[in-house]
Amino acid sequence: MTFSSVVGRFRILALAEAISWAGLLLGMFFKYVVVQNEIGVKIFGPIHGFVFVAFILVTLMTKEPLKWDARTLVLGLLSSIPPFGTVLFERWASKTGRLTEPAAEQL
């Protein structure tokens, strides 16, 4: 997995978005249940916000190179809303061949 390819960027940000969700959920658990201290939310809130926006942008930029149809694009964008949805979408897209880079054109 490398950040230099379209698929690599998508996979890295899908995983990062899920991890940032986990951090934010953990921060919220500590804020509201355990210690009533919002430091976890203050740390993971902005991180998750940044990664969320980056995931949306990379998903939009992935449509053309991988020749996604509108349905796949919408599912990819919607996967960012529920916790860990990006990982589920990434696995589904991999299994169905939607995360396969097209072969380079022969000259």
Side-chain angles (χ1 to χ4, degrees), residues 1-67:
M1 215 169 12
T2 173
F3 213 70
S4 64
S5 71
V6 173
V7 173
R9 279 190 295 275
F10 183 83
R11 286 188 167 146
I12 289 168
L13 282 167
L15 181 60
E17 206 273 342
I19 291 170
S20 71
W21 247 124
L24 184 57
L25 290 172
L26 187 62
M28 289 170 39
F29 176 75
F30 276 94
K31 177 180 179 180
Y32 294 111
V33 177
V34 180
V35 292
Q36 284 72 37
N37 183 331
E38 59 184 58
I39 189 71
V41 174
K42 284 185 177 182
I43 292 170
F44 285 104
I47 292 170
H48 176 67
F50 175 79
V51 175
F52 172 82
V53 170
F55 177 79
I56 294 296
L57 291 174
V58 82
T59 302
L60 291 170
M61 292 186 298
T62 300
K63 181 188 185 303
E64 280 303 312
L66 298 186
K67 300 183 182 354

